[in-house]
Amino acid sequence: MAQALDVTTRQDMLRHMLEIRIAEEEIQKLFLQNLIRGTTHLCVGQEACSVGMAQALQQGDTVTCTYRGHGHALALGMTVKSMMAEMMGKESGACKGKGGSMHMTNADIGLLGANAIVGAQLPIAVGAALTYQVKGLPHVAVTFFGEGATNIGTFHEALNMAAIWKLPVVFCCENNKYGEYSAQHKTTPVEDIATRAKSYNIPGIVVDGQDAETVYAESKAALDRARRGDGPTLIEFKTYRYRGHSRTDTAPYRLAGELDEWLKRDPIELLKQ
């Protein structure tokens, strides 16, 4: 357990987490009413990962993320109104209605984009980090991805290049135990994704992704390391998505009682306590 943050900071983080949870639940309702077209991927249960990291960022830092990116957008400061308008394809949306659920982007708040292609966001973050290094800027690029993306070539290419050049980038794996509909042990030969950092001679850290204060502390340490010029870090947030992979998935592949166990460690309830 990380040292407790001050009350004001914790309240601010809790507000953001509640905003994400309520917005995500509303998105599901709107989809069922056919007001949101296409597919949606909710991050209910994973709110501490995006909010904890966002709290540790500084002005000028940037983020790329997955198609499960509504929470990251809101954590970075996108308004609910702008996000919902984008979801509904309206011109008043964050991307003028052209991006939709899977491509939330707003460079003004540091969000270089959610990506529909698995793993595509990692090399984008590496490119941003290279820009900061070449220009001598004190910024850090952060990229979020799921454990399934660590079996994709771009994951290994991105970590290798970032490690060789000691780029200011933090790789954040939100390990929610399932890559789409497949349990991690069926697709990945290691239990802790963080151990893959050893191949690139960079730190690999396993973090309780349900504890927002711990997420903040470990994120800040990795960001500070990158800002000092000491290179990248791979952080694995152990977390869980309470809903299925996408909007109509009821997650019948889950083990009996698994969801109930994770609900006991709801990140919002933990921070409230």
Side-chain angles (χ1 to χ4, degrees):
M1 176 67 181
Q3 183 177 357
L5 298 170
D6 63 86
V7 173
T8 301
T9 301
R10 281 185 284 170
Q11 288 177 338
D12 185 55
M13 292 171 70
L14 183 59
R15 287 191 192 96
H16 273 103
M17 289 167 67
L18 285 166
E19 179 182 60
I20 294 168
R21 177 69 60 88
I22 294 167
E24 291 287 66
E25 296 290 359
E26 189 63 28
I27 285 168
Q28 180 68 9
K29 294 176 186 176
L30 292 170
F31 173 81
L32 294 174
Q33 295 171 30
N34 204 33
L35 294 174
I36 293 177
R37 307 295 179 88
T39 191
T40 56
H41 306 80
L42 306 181
C43 67
V44 176
Q46 300 181 197
E47 295 88 353
C49 301
S50 56
V51 171
M53 171 57 82
Q55 190 71 40
L57 294 174
Q58 294 183 9
Q59 184 71 31
D61 293 342
T62 52
V63 173
T64 65
C65 62
T66 72
Y67 46 70
R68 201 179 305 281
H70 310 150
H72 305 85
L74 292 175
L76 289 170
M78 184 177 289
T79 66
V80 174
K81 184 175 182 179
S82 176
M83 188 183 76
M84 288 297 191
E86 183 62 30
M87 298 284 291
M88 296 181 184
K90 296 182 179 295
E91 189 176 359
S92 57
C95 303
K96 299 187 181 298
K98 300 180 185 297
S101 172
M102 294 195 286
H103 301 95
M104 292 288 170
T105 304
N106 187 338
D108 291 340
I109 61 173
L111 182 59
L112 297 185
N115 291 262
I117 303 300
V118 174
Q121 67 275 21
L122 282 90
I124 296 172
V126 170
L130 178 60
T131 298
Y132 306 148
Q133 186 186 75
V134 169
K135 291 186 175 182
L137 299 173
H139 307 322
V140 181
V142 175
T143 183
F144 286 90
F145 49 93
E147 75 283 353
T150 69
N151 298 326
I152 301 286
T154 50
F155 168 83
H156 300 280
E157 293 169 9
L159 265 69
N160 189 74
M161 183 174 284
I164 288 294
W165 290 344
K166 288 188 176 298
L167 298 179
V169 56
V170 179
F171 297 98
C172 299
C173 176
E174 294 177 288
N175 186 348
N176 59 25
K177 293 178 66 68
Y178 292 95
E180 292 194 343
Y181 319 106
S182 300
Q184 180 187 338
H185 71 272
K186 294 183 177 180
T187 63
T188 308
V190 295
E191 181 175 352
D192 293 330
I193 300 300
T195 60
R196 289 184 158 173
K198 294 179 181 178
S199 299
Y200 305 100
N201 197 29
I202 65 174
I205 305 168
V206 176
V207 175
D208 180 0
Q210 305 304 89
D211 185 336
E213 290 183 272
T214 299
V215 170
Y216 166 81
E218 296 293 352
S219 296
K220 187 176 186 307
L223 290 164
D224 289 346
R225 180 176 185 274
R227 235 178 282 281
R228 290 195 303 268
D230 293 334
T233 301
L234 172 60
I235 304 178
E236 178 185 3
F237 297 125
K238 299 283 191 181
T239 186
Y240 196 78
R241 53 171 163 82
Y242 292 164
R243 290 188 173 272
H245 167 63
S246 58
R247 72 267 189 250
T248 57
D249 174 25
T250 58
Y253 43 81
R254 285 175 173 157
L255 296 176
E258 182 178 86
L259 175 59
D260 293 334
E261 287 302 308
W262 279 92
L263 285 169
K264 293 177 183 177
R265 302 201 70 253
D266 186 303
I268 291 175
E269 291 302 320
L270 288 179
L271 186 56
K272 283 170 65 176
Q273 292 169 16

